[in-house]
Amino acid sequence: MKALVDLFFPKVCFACAHYLSDQTGVICVHCRHRLPVTNFHLNGDTHFENILAGRAHIVQGTALFYFEKKGLVQQLLHNLKYKGHESIGITLGDWLGGELSRVPSYQDIDLVIPVPLHKKRERQRGYNQVSKFGIQISKALDAIYLDRVLIKTTHTSSQIKKKRFARWSDSSVWFALSDAHRIAGKHILLVDDLITTGATLEACITVLQQAPNIKVSIATIAIA
């Protein structure tokens, strides 16, 4: 039966849309070698710290890929975010999680928390596009995945065309913390799909810091 399904509905690479020779994967071997990896977590790069300097304190931050318009990563994120292909999040979470599990500075992560969607947006889409990504990373780091402690309280329109200041002023009131006691004293890994200006992550960190004695690190699929 599987062979028949593959014959009429062959799987394609979610990055380049070419047929997959390995029907069990989501990214072809050719694209996997072409994807623009950052290696921030492997070479001690402080790019995230620099982006958020003076705005939010983090222990460390990393992204799996660089984001380029009309590039392979944009196609992956589009398929993950809008086409329902959550298997992409699993694959990328396994990829980054496997690497972070070998980096000493990520070994004390207690909690993995995703940047949340507003309940209306999540109901429309049917899922949070970073959930599977975060879950796989939590498994690799032997950490607890919490997806209901940070809540998005404001339903906002797309941020794509907004200027930097508009994004920051909006995001400052987007989020709330449902249970500060649950995360007190923990090292949190905050996960998202894409960082551009850092406004959303800054807002999340500000809210998380309402809990006492926490540390925050960041991991995203891509960085613009």
Side-chain angles (χ1 to χ4, degrees), residues 123-141:
R123 188 164 57 246
Q124 291 171 341
R125 187 173 295 164
Y127 61 98
N128 182 337
Q129 70 272 11
V130 298
S131 292
K132 302 292 187 182
F133 177 69
I135 288 169
Q136 297 309 111
I137 291 177
S138 71
K139 291 178 181 178
L141 297 179

PDB file of all heavy atoms in Angstrom, residues 123-141:
ATOM      1  N   ARG A 123      -5.822  28.453  16.794  1.00  0.00           N
ATOM      2  CA  ARG A 123      -7.028  27.724  16.408  1.00  0.00           C
ATOM      3  C   ARG A 123      -7.211  27.758  14.889  1.00  0.00           C
ATOM      4  O   ARG A 123      -7.595  26.762  14.270  1.00  0.00           O
ATOM      5  CB  ARG A 123      -8.239  28.331  17.116  1.00  0.00           C
ATOM      6  CG  ARG A 123      -9.524  27.542  16.938  1.00  0.00           C
ATOM      7  CD  ARG A 123     -10.563  27.961  17.966  1.00  0.00           C
ATOM      8  NE  ARG A 123     -10.859  29.394  17.912  1.00  0.00           N
ATOM      9  CZ  ARG A 123     -10.569  30.246  18.891  1.00  0.00           C
ATOM     10  NH1 ARG A 123      -9.966  29.822  19.987  1.00  0.00           N
ATOM     11  NH2 ARG A 123     -10.870  31.522  18.779  1.00  0.00           N
ATOM     12  N   GLN A 124      -6.920  28.897  14.278  1.00  0.00           N
ATOM     13  CA  GLN A 124      -7.037  29.012  12.827  1.00  0.00           C
ATOM     14  C   GLN A 124      -6.035  28.108  12.116  1.00  0.00           C
ATOM     15  O   GLN A 124      -6.366  27.432  11.140  1.00  0.00           O
ATOM     16  CB  GLN A 124      -6.817  30.470  12.391  1.00  0.00           C
ATOM     17  CG  GLN A 124      -7.921  31.421  12.804  1.00  0.00           C
ATOM     18  CD  GLN A 124      -7.552  32.877  12.552  1.00  0.00           C
ATOM     19  OE1 GLN A 124      -6.377  33.227  12.401  1.00  0.00           O
ATOM     20  NE2 GLN A 124      -8.560  33.741  12.503  1.00  0.00           N
ATOM     21  N   ARG A 125      -4.794  28.129  12.610  1.00  0.00           N
ATOM     22  CA  ARG A 125      -3.721  27.365  11.962  1.00  0.00           C
ATOM     23  C   ARG A 125      -3.754  25.898  12.356  1.00  0.00           C
ATOM     24  O   ARG A 125      -3.360  25.019  11.589  1.00  0.00           O
ATOM     25  CB  ARG A 125      -2.372  27.987  12.326  1.00  0.00           C
ATOM     26  CG  ARG A 125      -1.177  27.391  11.593  1.00  0.00           C
ATOM     27  CD  ARG A 125       0.072  28.198  11.889  1.00  0.00           C
ATOM     28  NE  ARG A 125      -0.030  29.543  11.358  1.00  0.00           N
ATOM     29  CZ  ARG A 125       0.761  30.561  11.709  1.00  0.00           C
ATOM     30  NH1 ARG A 125       1.698  30.359  12.620  1.00  0.00           N
ATOM     31  NH2 ARG A 125       0.608  31.754  11.174  1.00  0.00           N
ATOM     32  N   GLY A 126      -4.186  25.630  13.577  1.00  0.00           N
ATOM     33  CA  GLY A 126      -4.268  24.259  14.063  1.00  0.00           C
ATOM     34  C   GLY A 126      -3.060  23.823  14.859  1.00  0.00           C
ATOM     35  O   GLY A 126      -3.055  22.731  15.437  1.00  0.00           O
ATOM     36  N   TYR A 127      -2.041  24.647  14.935  1.00  0.00           N
ATOM     37  CA  TYR A 127      -0.817  24.297  15.647  1.00  0.00           C
ATOM     38  C   TYR A 127       0.079  25.530  15.767  1.00  0.00           C
ATOM     39  O   TYR A 127      -0.096  26.512  15.037  1.00  0.00           O
ATOM     40  CB  TYR A 127      -0.051  23.186  14.906  1.00  0.00           C
ATOM     41  CG  TYR A 127       0.379  23.580  13.497  1.00  0.00           C
ATOM     42  CD1 TYR A 127       1.671  24.041  13.236  1.00  0.00           C
ATOM     43  CD2 TYR A 127      -0.512  23.501  12.429  1.00  0.00           C
ATOM     44  CE1 TYR A 127       2.055  24.410  11.958  1.00  0.00           C
ATOM     45  CE2 TYR A 127      -0.141  23.870  11.149  1.00  0.00           C
ATOM     46  CZ  TYR A 127       1.149  24.328  10.922  1.00  0.00           C
ATOM     47  OH  TYR A 127       1.529  24.703   9.648  1.00  0.00           O
ATOM     48  N   ASN A 128       1.010  25.466  16.692  1.00  0.00           N
ATOM     49  CA  ASN A 128       2.081  26.462  16.792  1.00  0.00           C
ATOM     50  C   ASN A 128       3.272  25.917  16.018  1.00  0.00           C
ATOM     51  O   ASN A 128       3.757  24.817  16.308  1.00  0.00           O
ATOM     52  CB  ASN A 128       2.460  26.699  18.265  1.00  0.00           C
ATOM     53  CG  ASN A 128       3.535  27.757  18.449  1.00  0.00           C
ATOM     54  OD1 ASN A 128       4.302  28.044  17.539  1.00  0.00           O
ATOM     55  ND2 ASN A 128       3.606  28.327  19.636  1.00  0.00           N
ATOM     56  N   GLN A 129       3.753  26.659  15.056  1.00  0.00           N
ATOM     57  CA  GLN A 129       4.785  26.140  14.153  1.00  0.00           C
ATOM     58  C   GLN A 129       6.104  25.814  14.840  1.00  0.00           C
ATOM     59  O   GLN A 129       6.927  25.095  14.278  1.00  0.00           O
ATOM     60  CB  GLN A 129       5.043  27.129  13.006  1.00  0.00           C
ATOM     61  CG  GLN A 129       5.732  28.428  13.399  1.00  0.00           C
ATOM     62  CD  GLN A 129       4.768  29.510  13.822  1.00  0.00           C
ATOM     63  OE1 GLN A 129       3.576  29.242  14.024  1.00  0.00           O
ATOM     64  NE2 GLN A 129       5.257  30.737  13.946  1.00  0.00           N
ATOM     65  N   VAL A 130       6.326  26.318  16.051  1.00  0.00           N
ATOM     66  CA  VAL A 130       7.586  26.006  16.738  1.00  0.00           C
ATOM     67  C   VAL A 130       7.445  24.905  17.782  1.00  0.00           C
ATOM     68  O   VAL A 130       8.420  24.535  18.424  1.00  0.00           O
ATOM     69  CB  VAL A 130       8.226  27.261  17.388  1.00  0.00           C
ATOM     70  CG1 VAL A 130       8.563  28.284  16.333  1.00  0.00           C
ATOM     71  CG2 VAL A 130       7.328  27.858  18.450  1.00  0.00           C
ATOM     72  N   SER A 131       6.225  24.360  17.951  1.00  0.00           N
ATOM     73  CA  SER A 131       6.009  23.355  18.991  1.00  0.00           C
ATOM     74  C   SER A 131       6.870  22.111  18.790  1.00  0.00           C
ATOM     75  O   SER A 131       7.579  21.681  19.701  1.00  0.00           O
ATOM     76  CB  SER A 131       4.531  22.957  19.047  1.00  0.00           C
ATOM     77  OG  SER A 131       3.753  24.020  19.519  1.00  0.00           O
ATOM     78  N   LYS A 132       6.786  21.510  17.616  1.00  0.00           N
ATOM     79  CA  LYS A 132       7.536  20.281  17.359  1.00  0.00           C
ATOM     80  C   LYS A 132       9.041  20.531  17.441  1.00  0.00           C
ATOM     81  O   LYS A 132       9.804  19.700  17.948  1.00  0.00           O
ATOM     82  CB  LYS A 132       7.184  19.712  15.992  1.00  0.00           C
ATOM     83  CG  LYS A 132       5.713  19.395  15.791  1.00  0.00           C
ATOM     84  CD  LYS A 132       5.262  18.233  16.646  1.00  0.00           C
ATOM     85  CE  LYS A 132       3.836  17.826  16.314  1.00  0.00           C
ATOM     86  NZ  LYS A 132       3.345  16.727  17.150  1.00  0.00           N
ATOM     87  N   PHE A 133       9.473  21.678  16.940  1.00  0.00           N
ATOM     88  CA  PHE A 133      10.878  22.084  17.015  1.00  0.00           C
ATOM     89  C   PHE A 133      11.333  22.117  18.469  1.00  0.00           C
ATOM     90  O   PHE A 133      12.365  21.541  18.836  1.00  0.00           O
ATOM     91  CB  PHE A 133      11.021  23.457  16.358  1.00  0.00           C
ATOM     92  CG  PHE A 133      12.396  24.069  16.415  1.00  0.00           C
ATOM     93  CD1 PHE A 133      13.447  23.533  15.687  1.00  0.00           C
ATOM     94  CD2 PHE A 133      12.621  25.214  17.171  1.00  0.00           C
ATOM     95  CE1 PHE A 133      14.713  24.118  15.726  1.00  0.00           C
ATOM     96  CE2 PHE A 133      13.868  25.806  17.211  1.00  0.00           C
ATOM     97  CZ  PHE A 133      14.918  25.248  16.487  1.00  0.00           C
ATOM     98  N   GLY A 134      10.539  22.768  19.322  1.00  0.00           N
ATOM     99  CA  GLY A 134      10.897  22.881  20.726  1.00  0.00           C
ATOM    100  C   GLY A 134      10.843  21.558  21.469  1.00  0.00           C
ATOM    101  O   GLY A 134      11.694  21.278  22.318  1.00  0.00           O
ATOM    102  N   ILE A 135       9.850  20.737  21.147  1.00  0.00           N
ATOM    103  CA  ILE A 135       9.711  19.442  21.803  1.00  0.00           C
ATOM    104  C   ILE A 135      10.926  18.566  21.536  1.00  0.00           C
ATOM    105  O   ILE A 135      11.468  17.919  22.452  1.00  0.00           O
ATOM    106  CB  ILE A 135       8.423  18.732  21.336  1.00  0.00           C
ATOM    107  CG1 ILE A 135       7.197  19.430  21.930  1.00  0.00           C
ATOM    108  CG2 ILE A 135       8.435  17.256  21.726  1.00  0.00           C
ATOM    109  CD1 ILE A 135       5.879  18.980  21.339  1.00  0.00           C
ATOM    110  N   GLN A 136      11.379  18.536  20.287  1.00  0.00           N
ATOM    111  CA  GLN A 136      12.532  17.696  19.951  1.00  0.00           C
ATOM    112  C   GLN A 136      13.806  18.197  20.629  1.00  0.00           C
ATOM    113  O   GLN A 136      14.633  17.399  21.067  1.00  0.00           O
ATOM    114  CB  GLN A 136      12.720  17.631  18.433  1.00  0.00           C
ATOM    115  CG  GLN A 136      11.558  16.992  17.686  1.00  0.00           C
ATOM    116  CD  GLN A 136      11.152  15.646  18.244  1.00  0.00           C
ATOM    117  OE1 GLN A 136      10.078  15.491  18.814  1.00  0.00           O
ATOM    118  NE2 GLN A 136      12.033  14.659  18.096  1.00  0.00           N
ATOM    119  N   ILE A 137      13.957  19.507  20.733  1.00  0.00           N
ATOM    120  CA  ILE A 137      15.121  20.058  21.431  1.00  0.00           C
ATOM    121  C   ILE A 137      15.067  19.696  22.914  1.00  0.00           C
ATOM    122  O   ILE A 137      16.083  19.326  23.516  1.00  0.00           O
ATOM    123  CB  ILE A 137      15.202  21.584  21.250  1.00  0.00           C
ATOM    124  CG1 ILE A 137      15.548  21.921  19.785  1.00  0.00           C
ATOM    125  CG2 ILE A 137      16.251  22.192  22.185  1.00  0.00           C
ATOM    126  CD1 ILE A 137      15.590  23.405  19.499  1.00  0.00           C
ATOM    127  N   SER A 138      13.871  19.780  23.509  1.00  0.00           N
ATOM    128  CA  SER A 138      13.736  19.437  24.932  1.00  0.00           C
ATOM    129  C   SER A 138      14.117  17.986  25.184  1.00  0.00           C
ATOM    130  O   SER A 138      14.737  17.661  26.198  1.00  0.00           O
ATOM    131  CB  SER A 138      12.319  19.715  25.423  1.00  0.00           C
ATOM    132  OG  SER A 138      11.377  18.798  24.889  1.00  0.00           O
ATOM    133  N   LYS A 139      13.750  17.097  24.273  1.00  0.00           N
ATOM    134  CA  LYS A 139      14.116  15.692  24.410  1.00  0.00           C
ATOM    135  C   LYS A 139      15.625  15.516  24.351  1.00  0.00           C
ATOM    136  O   LYS A 139      16.214  14.770  25.141  1.00  0.00           O
ATOM    137  CB  LYS A 139      13.455  14.869  23.308  1.00  0.00           C
ATOM    138  CG  LYS A 139      11.951  14.740  23.441  1.00  0.00           C
ATOM    139  CD  LYS A 139      11.370  13.951  22.266  1.00  0.00           C
ATOM    140  CE  LYS A 139       9.862  13.818  22.362  1.00  0.00           C
ATOM    141  NZ  LYS A 139       9.300  13.092  21.180  1.00  0.00           N
ATOM    142  N   ALA A 140      16.266  16.222  23.413  1.00  0.00           N
ATOM    143  CA  ALA A 140      17.718  16.095  23.256  1.00  0.00           C
ATOM    144  C   ALA A 140      18.468  16.617  24.471  1.00  0.00           C
ATOM    145  O   ALA A 140      19.539  16.105  24.811  1.00  0.00           O
ATOM    146  CB  ALA A 140      18.169  16.842  21.999  1.00  0.00           C
ATOM    147  N   LEU A 141      17.906  17.641  25.126  1.00  0.00           N
ATOM    148  CA  LEU A 141      18.566  18.255  26.285  1.00  0.00           C
ATOM    149  C   LEU A 141      18.058  17.701  27.608  1.00  0.00           C
ATOM    150  O   LEU A 141      18.476  18.170  28.673  1.00  0.00           O
ATOM    151  CB  LEU A 141      18.363  19.774  26.250  1.00  0.00           C
ATOM    152  CG  LEU A 141      18.965  20.515  25.053  1.00  0.00           C
ATOM    153  CD1 LEU A 141      18.664  22.003  25.149  1.00  0.00           C
ATOM    154  CD2 LEU A 141      20.470  20.276  24.957  1.00  0.00           C
TER     155      LEU A 141
END
